[in-house]
Structure formats: structure tokens, C-alpha cells
Amino acid sequence: ARKRYGDRHDENGGSLPMEGRVVCVTGAAGGIGSALSSVCHGLGATIVAMDRNTTGLDELKQSLEDDDGAASRILCLPTQHEDFASVSQSADEILRNFEHIDLLICNAGMTYREEAELGSKGMKSVHGYDLAFTVNYLSHFLLVEKLMPRLMSTKIPSVLRQMMKASRLDLT
């Protein structure tokens, strides 16, 4: 972060190289998304956390607000990535609140359990597409498309896509 954003410091001399930067993270309520949110927040960034797990978002917000004056640097948006309307609403909220986005981390994702019946009704999104394809790809495509004007308004826009690796894949 220091190399990319420069070396900024807080009033106590601590390094805040991402101060003034806006970082949007999908799948932010747990795992990699939560860790990335915490690290970027610790470096001074404002975090827009998106996830369907509202309890996890509340816990993330609580952990980040423990820092002095950090409450104004976290926006939690409950987002159902299997529903384009929910993703679109979250994107619209981001557009209303921020003039620029420096980093978009597309981390939300899912995989099927071994016993899942692929193609069954429970494995389809409300839009009729494969559920994993909707969550892992289509929802992020929509999000990037809607946020592109704000991403392009920054000097060095970045979109990171967390790639999921299926632990079991049988192509026979």
C-alpha cells in the first residue's frame, strides 16, 4: 500500500497510506473479505463492506469501530449476490455516497456441496441462472459495470477478483 498510495501518517506518526481511499469489498463478513477489510481499514481506508450475512457485517463494523474515530470510515451494505436487484441497490447506495472508488475487491463467492443436485430448482438464482454462476460472476459483472464511472475517476482504479478453486471437480 505504501508503494502504491504513498506514505501518509496519522497525528501520532503512524503510517496511513490508504487514508482518503475508498475500498469496496464483497463477501466482507468473514474469511478473506473480512481480513482484507480490516487490513485496508487499518491502513486508513474507508471500507464499503457488502455481504448477505448481516450478523457478520455487524461484527465487522463493531471490530472496526473499536478504533478511535473509525466509525465514519465503514459502510455496511447487506447484499444478496444471487439477486441482481440487491446488487444494483448496493451499487446505487455506493454511487450516492462516494465520488470515487479506489479499490473494488470482488470476493463474494460460493461453491456447491458434494450432495447438491446441479440444475435443480434450489441451484438456480431468482433470475433462472445457475446459482454459483450468478453469485461468482454475474453479480460482480453488474457491480463493476455500475461502479465503473467512480472507479475511473481515481488515478489508479483497481478491481480484484478472488478466484475460487473447487476442491472437487469431476469432469467425467
Side-chain angles (χ1 to χ4, degrees), residues 22-169:
V22 177
V23 177
C24 300
V25 183
T26 67
I32 293 170
S34 177
L36 286 168
S37 296
S38 296
V39 167
C40 291
H41 189 268
L43 292 170
T46 296
I47 303 299
V48 179
M50 294 172 276
D51 203 298
R52 68 189 215 160
N53 178 353
T54 56
T55 302
L57 285 175
D58 290 341
E59 291 169 359
L60 175 66
K61 185 172 185 171
Q62 180 72 35
S63 72
L64 297 182
E65 285 180 344
D66 287 344
D67 299 335
D68 292 333
S72 63
R73 293 192 298 112
I74 175 85
L75 173 63
C76 292
L77 298 175
T79 307
Q80 303 288 333
H81 284 273
E82 64 274 13
D83 182 4
F84 298 145
S86 177
V87 174
S88 185
Q89 283 178 332
S90 291
D92 290 342
E93 185 69 19
I94 293 166
L95 292 171
R96 277 191 293 277
N97 283 282
F98 300 98
E99 293 183 14
H100 70 278
I101 299 167
D102 298 280
L103 181 58
L104 172 60
I105 301 172
C106 299
N107 175 66
M110 64 161 291
T111 188
Y112 294 126
R113 293 190 172 147
E114 194 172 312
E115 66 272 8
E117 292 183 38
L118 298 179
S120 68
K121 186 177 180 183
M123 299 294 113
K124 298 255 185 223
S125 71
V126 295
H127 307 287
Y129 300 110
D130 178 78
L131 188 59
F133 182 61
T134 300
V135 171
N136 298 348
Y137 177 74
L138 294 176
S139 68
H140 288 119
F141 184 88
L142 174 61
L143 187 64
V144 170
E145 183 72 20
K146 290 197 73 147
L147 298 181
M148 190 59 73
R150 296 298 195 276
L151 283 161
M152 297 310 294
S153 69
T154 190
K155 287 181 182 177
I156 309 171
S158 297
V159 178
L160 299 178
R161 174 73 173 106
Q162 176 68 24
M163 300 303 289
M164 290 182 55
K165 178 182 174 189
S167 60
R168 294 192 169 115
L169 186 62

